[in-house]
Amino acid sequence: MSIYILTLVLFALGLMSKPMLVTLPVTLLILDWWPLNRVKTSNDWKQLIVEKLPMFAMSAASAVITIIAQQKGGAVKTFEQFPLYARVENAVNAYASYIGKMILPKGLVVFYPHPGLSLSLKQIVPAIVVLLVLTTISVIFRKNKPGLLAGWLWYVITLVPVIGLFQVGGQAMADRYTYVPLIGIFIMIAYGIPGILKSLKPPMSYAPAILAIILILPLAALASYRQASVWHDSETLFRHAIRFTKSNYTAENNLGVILIERGKIDEAIQHFKTALAVKPDYVDAHVSLAVAFMNKDKLDLAMPHLETAIKLSPNDTDVLNNYGAALAMQGRLKEALGYFKAAVKADPENPDANENLKRAEQLLSEK
């Protein structure tokens, strides 16, 4: 009993640190089936499920809390923004793409923009074929090779919370989501290869191990080294994302912000314009482009973007703060003061908004 309680406590701590662990009760049931072989009859399933009911309850509570928090942060997307069929298409493509990137880790980027309705049959059909083939093989060999089905179920189920059916944010997928799910694919590989090798005699039975040592490990080490260099700084990170993805409005905007900090305002403006060409309602890019124009004292070009941002997101702290700053630059301090107050109300901890509010009040008091 003490071990059981400790397990529940550790699971609760895990959920608080990483809500993606909500699928753990199901993966534990998979492990009960194989390799623990705790399932003999249907009654065994009932007992095992009852055993994990506290975990299911904690998972449900964690899921509800996470959804509420994401909704308050504005990250949850509506079905108008991402229709159901677009989510399903992207989910199918993501399931297959994660496996592809595991085999050939090329083009890994910090942000993959959601394709919306732009996925073609050339992308969807191969993904469906891959998933159907792996599912079919796992089911057919479930009695003789149960580890294949156990690994496949692990992969599919643990990805469900982050596969995009419940869309949070604007990403299509994220490499960081796969560190737990890919354990399932590795189980399939580790369990499946030895079965294949049983029919081979030495030295052919040693071939996979020799191949891994001589070829795969050095290539993986080289790929890791090259991928680490991508994270040298923010500029290299977002330039890499732009290079390996299409219509990556987030990377374009973020790169532009970095370029402003480095004094490359003209280049930054081009990236902001590219971001808005892809996503005209992208509030961050409107604000960023306005800030770039403000840095060049082109308030006439900055104001339309700030006005658009205000319409799109009237309660956003950065939008309100920058709109107030633009008004202040025009000498309209009384109007600016109202926006600074609104910005502080929206986010009382925002240092820029608080500083601008304090300065505006000081300047008005001196008049």
Side-chain angles (χ1 to χ4, degrees):
M1 180 61 71
S2 59
I3 294 178
Y4 181 74
I5 294 174
L6 177 61
T7 301
L8 295 179
V9 171
L10 292 176
F11 179 54
L13 293 174
L15 285 173
M16 287 188 282
S17 64
K18 198 69 175 176
M20 188 173 171
L21 284 178
V22 291
T23 58
L24 183 62
V26 181
T27 55
L28 289 179
L29 287 173
I30 295 172
L31 296 178
D32 285 331
W33 172 64
W34 184 92
L36 298 180
N37 198 27
R38 297 178 68 192
V39 181
K40 306 296 183 181
T41 66
S42 59
N43 286 330
D44 291 335
W45 277 119
K46 294 178 182 178
Q47 182 179 346
L48 292 170
I49 291 172
V50 170
E51 174 186 87
K52 294 169 182 63
L53 283 180
M55 285 187 164
F56 279 110
M58 285 190 282
S59 289
S62 176
V64 170
I65 292 170
T66 301
I67 291 171
I68 292 173
Q70 295 287 6
Q71 285 178 332
K72 288 185 177 180
V76 177
K77 303 303 179 182
T78 66
F79 282 101
E80 291 181 357
Q81 295 170 300
F82 293 98
L84 180 59
Y85 54 89
R87 300 181 188 214
V88 173
E89 286 181 349
N90 181 69
V92 170
N93 187 61
Y95 268 117
S97 295
Y98 284 135
I99 297 174
K101 289 181 179 295
M102 181 204 73
I103 297 170
L104 185 62
K106 183 180 179 182
L108 306 178
V109 300
V110 65
F111 181 82
Y112 301 92
H114 197 289
L117 303 176
S118 66
L119 285 175
S120 66
L121 287 177
K122 292 181 179 180
Q123 295 169 290
I124 294 297
V125 172
I128 292 174
V129 170
V130 168
L131 299 184
L132 286 177
V133 167
L134 290 173
T135 301
T136 302
I137 291 173
S138 300
V139 172
I140 289 176
F141 293 100
R142 68 186 183 280
K143 292 184 178 179
N144 296 329
K145 302 289 181 183
L148 295 177
L149 182 57
W152 184 239
L153 289 174
W154 178 298
Y155 174 71
V156 172
I157 292 171
T158 54
L159 267 177
V160 168
V162 291
I163 203 62
L165 296 177
F166 181 80
Q167 186 66 36
V168 176
Q171 72 283 345
M173 51 189 286
D175 301 322
R176 65 184 181 276
Y177 292 156
T178 62
Y179 60 92
V180 170
L182 283 179
I183 292 174
I185 302 298
F186 295 139
I187 289 173
M188 295 178 72
I189 294 171
Y191 184 73
I193 290 179
I196 296 173
L197 297 180
K198 284 182 179 179
S199 61
L200 301 177
K201 295 181 180 181
M204 291 303 298
S205 60
Y206 305 141
I210 295 172
L211 180 65
I213 294 171
I214 295 177
L215 184 61
I216 298 178
L217 288 180
L219 287 176
L222 177 61
S224 297
Y225 176 80
R226 294 183 65 179
Q227 185 65 22
S229 67
V230 171
W231 291 78
H232 178 271
D233 57 37
S234 296
E235 183 173 345
T236 60
L237 180 65
F238 293 117
R239 286 193 186 278
H240 176 80
I242 291 170
R243 178 185 174 190
F244 284 97
T245 57
K246 296 179 181 179
S247 304
N248 199 330
Y249 55 90
T250 296
E252 294 282 0
N253 179 70
N254 290 355
L255 177 58
V257 171
I258 299 301
L259 292 173
I260 285 182
E261 293 175 357
R262 298 183 177 182
K264 302 177 182 179
I265 298 177
D266 290 331
E267 185 181 354
I269 288 173
Q270 296 307 312
H271 286 286
F272 297 142
K273 288 182 176 180
T274 300
L276 288 173
V278 175
K279 188 174 175 61
D281 62 347
Y282 189 21
V283 173
D284 289 353
H286 278 292
V287 174
S288 297
L289 184 54
V291 170
F293 284 135
M294 289 163 66
N295 274 277
K296 293 175 71 70
D297 293 324
K298 295 183 178 180
L299 292 175
D300 57 322
L301 298 178
M303 290 303 290
H305 290 285
L306 289 172
E307 289 166 359
T308 299
I310 284 282
K311 292 177 182 178
L312 291 170
S313 188
N315 298 315
D316 185 282
T317 301
D318 289 333
V319 173
L320 295 166
N321 184 54
N322 280 290
Y323 193 76
L327 292 173
M329 289 176 69
Q330 293 177 326
R332 299 156 64 183
L333 277 177
K334 288 186 178 180
E335 293 178 67
L337 184 65
Y339 284 97
F340 292 144
K341 287 181 177 179
V344 171
K345 183 179 179 180
D347 182 7
E349 303 299 323
N350 188 286
D352 292 333
N354 276 287
E355 179 63 28
N356 286 338
L357 174 59
K358 182 179 178 181
R359 183 170 177 77
E361 289 175 337
Q362 182 180 356
L363 289 172
L364 285 171
S365 66
E366 293 174 355
K367 286 189 176 183

